[in-house]
Amino acid sequence: MGEEMEVWNSHGDGVVRLPEGFVVVGVTENCEYAAVADEARRFYGLQFHPEVVHTPRGKEVLGNFVYGVCGCEAEWTVSGFIERACDAIRKQVGESGGVLLGLSGGVDSSVAAALLQRAIGERLVCIFVDNGLLRAGEREAVRRVFEGTFGMKLVVVDAGEGFLKRLRGVKDPERKRKIIGREFIRVFERTARELMRGEGGEGIRFLAQGTLYPDVIESVPIGGNPAALIKSHHNVGGLPKRMRFELVEPLRQLFKDEVREVGKELGLPEEILWRQPFPGPGLAVRVVGEVTRERLEILRAADAIVVGEMKAAGWYRRVWQSFAVLLPVRSVGVMGDERTYDYTIAVRVVESQDGMTADWVRVPYDLLGRMASRILNEVRGVNRVVYDVSSKPPATIEWE
């Protein structure tokens, strides 16, 4: 028996016959062609995922291929990326062009803002769209940090009514994402026109986004890759084909851990860098089914409890994401001496390296108990809390 190593090979497809010249060099319990090689031509193939944290020696496998087989050298550095990205931004935007950035306060858009500010300075204008789908206290925090601390040009737009109106009666998650994407651009274009009519606004022709590589992979096939679309992302598949701005996406080739390294190099504080990922469509994809003001308020209150308890217990920085989901399921319960028929909240906590794969976290029972107890006692309209123990794949991190 040869050397053994732990690998992640969660998949539904498989190789049924090897091409000529290949031999098997690795097997798993459910895959007879887990690793194959054609040593004469130096061709190699894997039927497991070396790129995920669940394959402990995966980086070693990739390193052997990149450096040993391909003969590449490690020349990429964070500082080098920042320098190249700033040069690319200046070249694309020109010497006088203005750039609008949709600033959510999350890691991606915040790092994009810091990068753009370094590249073009005051020609960057950040727009924060309050779409009515945000977490508790989000609007106030963004204004305090970016307008107050960093001195960026920030325009806050209250657009919640418009988003809720267009989402009325919509239950399909893909339709939600497309509607939110289109409305987001409408708001941007309207705000941009107003800015263009102001002093110095005639040069604003670009829209910047914090698109990351996982967003692109999950939204569209890349370079002939046969992978199917998993879900449209707010800043990828949700964009209309015809729009007034040219896109600037300086983080498009990076994963989340690399984005945090770039942000650290740019001097962003830890409270921004270590914010957990938040979907572009906001709470709309965590309200399973139709989005209403009432259901948003229920979810917002429950989500604040989950995040607050995770931080208080010292678990927030230890996981990739932790949040609440409002299910379209009502069940019978008892509150006091009365029968209730209220909603169910699902708590989702996952660990991941880059968002491409994830595993559910074995959160201590007492922490889960505090979350559930507070949600049931403090959030009106909820009488049941469940914990999601699904990994990605086969599930996605978000429910929609």
Side-chain angles (χ1 to χ4, degrees), residues 102-140:
L103 181 63
S104 69
V107 179
D108 306 339
S109 66
S110 298
V111 173
L115 193 58
L116 283 155
Q117 189 178 47
R118 174 169 292 193
I120 61 173
E122 294 186 355
R123 287 188 285 151
L124 170 67
V125 180
C126 296
I127 298 179
F128 176 78
V129 177
D130 185 348
N131 57 12
L133 308 170
L134 304 174
R135 292 169 289 193
E138 196 83 3
R139 179 170 172 169
E140 296 78 9

Side-chain angles (χ1 to χ4, degrees), residues 96-253:
S96 59
V99 179
L100 297 180
L101 170 71
L103 181 63
S104 69
V107 179
D108 306 339
S109 66
S110 298
V111 173
L115 193 58
L116 283 155
Q117 189 178 47
R118 174 169 292 193
I120 61 173
E122 294 186 355
R123 287 188 285 151
L124 170 67
V125 180
C126 296
I127 298 179
F128 176 78
V129 177
D130 185 348
N131 57 12
L133 308 170
L134 304 174
R135 292 169 289 193
E138 196 83 3
R139 179 170 172 169
E140 296 78 9
V142 166
R143 189 185 289 277
R144 171 178 51 82
V145 172
F146 293 94
E147 190 176 52
T149 304
F150 294 104
M152 294 184 182
K153 292 182 180 179
L154 179 66
V155 177
V156 177
V157 184
D158 188 350
E161 288 297 330
F163 278 86
L164 286 176
K165 181 179 178 181
R166 295 184 184 278
L167 288 168
R168 188 175 301 151
V170 178
K171 296 181 180 180
D172 180 75
E174 274 298 294
R175 282 194 63 203
K176 286 184 189 179
R177 289 175 177 273
K178 294 295 178 63
I179 288 169
I180 292 169
R182 287 194 294 267
E183 183 65 10
F184 180 76
I185 294 301
R186 269 194 209 98
V187 172
F188 250 88
E189 289 184 329
R190 184 175 66 244
T191 305
R193 285 194 295 269
E194 295 171 359
L195 291 170
M196 287 175 180
R197 288 194 289 267
E199 183 179 352
E202 64 280 353
I204 299 177
R205 297 183 295 108
F206 299 89
L207 171 63
Q209 297 185 141
T211 308
L212 304 190
Y213 196 49
D215 301 336
V216 178
I217 293 173
E218 290 189 335
S219 296
V220 291
I222 303 298
N225 184 347
L229 181 146
I230 297 172
K231 58 186 177 182
S232 296
H233 284 263
H234 172 54
N235 49 0
V236 183
L239 293 178
K241 294 180 180 179
R242 302 178 68 179
M243 48 184 266
R244 295 172 58 93
F245 305 104
E246 181 180 341
L247 284 179
V248 180
E249 298 177 309
L251 308 177
R252 190 180 177 88
Q253 299 300 319

Side-chain angles (χ1 to χ4, degrees), residues 65-81:
F65 177 75
V66 172
Y67 304 125
V69 176
C70 300
C72 296
E73 297 182 3
E75 297 179 346
W76 191 93
T77 63
V78 173
S79 58
F81 167 81

